[in-house]
Amino acid sequence: MDQLDDEILSMFIEDSSEHLANIETALMDMERHGADIDEELVNTVFRAAHSIKGGAGFLNLNNIRDLSHKLESLLHLIRSREVVPDTRVINQLLTGFDRLLSLVVAGPASDGQDISQLLDSLSGLTTEHLTTEQRAQATAQTPIRLPGGEVIFEEDELTLRQGTSGGKNLYLVEYDLIHDVQARGKTPLDVINTMESSGLIIDCRMELAAVGDLDAPPVNRIPFYVLYASIVEPDIIGYLFALDVSRIHPVALDLPDVQAAPPPASPQASPTPEPAAASVAFGPWQLSLGAQQAVLALRPGETPDAATAREALLQALSQGLPATLDWNAPQSCDLAMLQVLLAAARTFAGQGLSLVQSTAPPDAVAATARRAGITPEALADAGLPGDLLAVG
């Protein structure tokens, strides 16, 4: 830990504590919903565990990383309706998140605590709900290599399947903390937060061994590797990371097909599925689901949010509906939001569905596109409509 920036550690502790501030209330609400899962609520809790896991992975806080990963795995099964959040499950999650908060507050000293019993309890509860095939996946390790053959990560097949669900692509991304992060006035946590807004960080680590020693030729780089899953297609992924594409490596997974476990029966469950809600809130967005079309509208006066826009558009895709985006003239728009729009346009088209905008994109959207160099020619080269962002 001597080589880590104290400011970054302080930021991690502060951000993680904020993520955990209202977890108990959210978990109790999840228990009240039972089998009638509130997806937005579960996603909020899942993102808290996942975000903390990413920061802990960078900082080499192993206990925090491992506990976050166990919580995340159980929450993934709830989110996919393979586990009902009953009293027993919620009590285990409450215990896990309570201990996670104490570890976060302890910072580097957290790795001196024994959490093996808690990890075993969470693993046992998760394993109960896996099929025989999924249990085998949970122990089968898959190496993730650089093009030259160097193994950067070893991940279990179940984690990879969960991370790439929903048609996500998998990438191994090489950052240099000196030139790609510090020189741009950012921190690694900034990078992690930006990536999380448009996808899922499965794993990350800093490679301090690469700095070499004084007797060797100067290296002048500190690698930071990220294993990342996103719906963004390989030919436009460079826009998201602001990196040379030579350092963004698509990972092809050759995992055998396995039948997923069926959702558990619930005595309260209706014998017929409930129809999709006519209108669902996603942060500043309102998604209206009609019989033939979905409309995603930014509420007046709100700022576009990439993460919630992505969730809403994925919801429309899951219903097999074409979508219309209504911007409602925001005053600002960041690049992460534009990346989601580009990715969504490609994904909708790939499924034979239309994604249109009710009016020309507002000035804030076009201005962000111009600053990023997203020209009509660049869009066309990526196989997207040149007028998608109305840039001149």
Side-chain angles (χ1 to χ4, degrees):
M1 294 295 299
D2 292 340
Q3 301 179 65
L4 296 176
D5 191 322
D6 288 341
E7 182 180 353
I8 296 175
L9 178 61
S10 297
M11 289 172 57
F12 168 73
I13 294 173
E14 181 180 352
D15 289 349
S16 298
S17 299
E18 289 179 3
H19 279 302
L20 296 171
N22 299 311
I23 286 294
E24 181 176 353
T25 300
L27 289 172
M28 300 305 294
D29 287 343
M30 282 171 54
E31 183 179 6
R32 280 192 288 271
H33 281 279
D36 184 21
I37 289 172
D38 182 332
E39 290 189 9
E40 186 170 358
L41 181 62
V42 178
N43 282 334
T44 297
V45 181
F46 177 89
R47 283 196 298 269
H50 188 78
S51 177
I52 293 170
K53 186 187 80 170
F58 167 73
L59 292 167
N60 293 319
L61 299 173
N62 295 320
N63 271 351
I64 296 175
R65 178 186 180 279
D66 292 346
L67 180 53
S68 300
H69 182 57
K70 297 295 185 185
L71 293 167
E72 177 190 57
S73 296
L74 184 54
L75 287 161
H76 181 91
L77 293 177
I78 295 173
R79 190 166 64 166
S80 60
R81 290 177 165 77
E82 296 172 79
V83 170
V84 172
D86 57 20
T87 299
R88 177 172 171 245
V89 171
I90 292 300
N91 283 343
Q92 187 67 75
L93 288 170
L94 284 168
T95 300
F97 275 107
D98 184 62
R99 188 60 183 275
L100 184 60
L101 177 59
S102 71
L103 293 175
V104 166
V105 172
S110 61
D111 278 342
Q113 301 183 29
D114 182 6
I115 62 168
S116 57
Q117 186 174 351
L118 178 56
L119 295 179
D120 289 343
S121 296
L122 286 165
S123 293
L125 185 55
T126 300
T127 302
E128 285 179 21
H129 297 85
L130 300 179
T131 64
T132 301
E133 293 87 353
Q134 287 174 319
R135 290 173 187 170
Q137 292 169 8
T139 58
Q141 296 293 306
T142 297
I144 307 297
R145 306 173 186 273
L146 289 172
E150 180 186 357
V151 175
I152 302 299
F153 298 106
E154 290 266 0
E155 303 294 335
D156 66 84
E157 291 183 4
L158 184 60
T159 296
L160 293 173
R161 285 180 182 277
Q162 291 175 341
T164 55
S165 62
K168 299 187 195 73
N169 300 297
L170 187 63
Y171 302 96
L172 176 56
V173 185
E174 296 181 74
Y175 278 98
D176 172 10
L177 290 181
I178 296 176
H179 301 96
D180 300 324
V181 181
Q182 182 182 11
R184 297 179 181 180
K186 298 182 180 297
T187 71
L189 296 184
D190 293 330
V191 173
I192 290 171
N193 290 335
T194 297
M195 296 179 80
E196 287 284 359
S197 71
S198 302
L200 197 70
I201 293 176
I202 295 176
D203 208 345
C204 64
R205 73 180 179 92
M206 177 173 54
E207 185 56 81
L208 285 178
V211 302
D213 54 47
L214 290 179
D215 294 330
V219 176
N220 195 31
R221 65 186 290 265
I222 303 176
F224 175 42
Y225 297 107
V226 184
L227 186 60
Y228 183 70
S230 175
I231 59 172
V232 183
E233 296 291 340
D235 53 358
I236 59 172
I237 193 70
Y239 284 125
L240 176 61
F241 301 118
L243 285 176
D244 189 284
V245 292
S246 65
R247 291 194 278 140
I248 305 171
H249 313 291
V251 178
L253 293 176
D254 185 19
L255 303 178
D257 268 341
V258 175
Q259 182 70 34
S266 169
Q268 292 81 27
S270 170
T272 56
E274 293 291 329
S279 183
V280 185
F282 287 85
W285 303 91
Q286 196 72 26
L287 177 66
S288 300
L289 299 169
Q292 303 295 327
Q293 186 180 29
V295 177
L296 180 60
L298 182 67
R299 288 192 288 272
E302 297 277 7
T303 299
D305 175 70
T308 52
R310 177 182 176 277
E311 290 179 18
L313 290 166
L314 284 172
Q315 178 71 11
L317 277 169
S318 72
Q319 302 291 324
L321 294 173
T324 297
L325 179 63
D326 187 350
W327 288 101
N328 272 328
Q331 296 301 305
S332 64
C333 177
D334 62 16
L335 189 56
M337 182 62 226
L338 296 195
Q339 179 274 320
V340 168
L341 177 60
L342 297 177
R346 176 173 294 280
T347 306
F348 270 76
Q351 297 192 19
L353 300 171
S354 64
L355 174 63
V356 299
Q357 298 167 81
S358 59
T359 61
D363 291 343
V365 176
T368 298
R370 284 194 296 270
R371 286 195 299 272
I374 305 177
T375 64
E377 293 77 16
L379 290 170
D381 289 343
L384 294 165
D387 60 355
L388 181 63
L389 298 174
V391 289

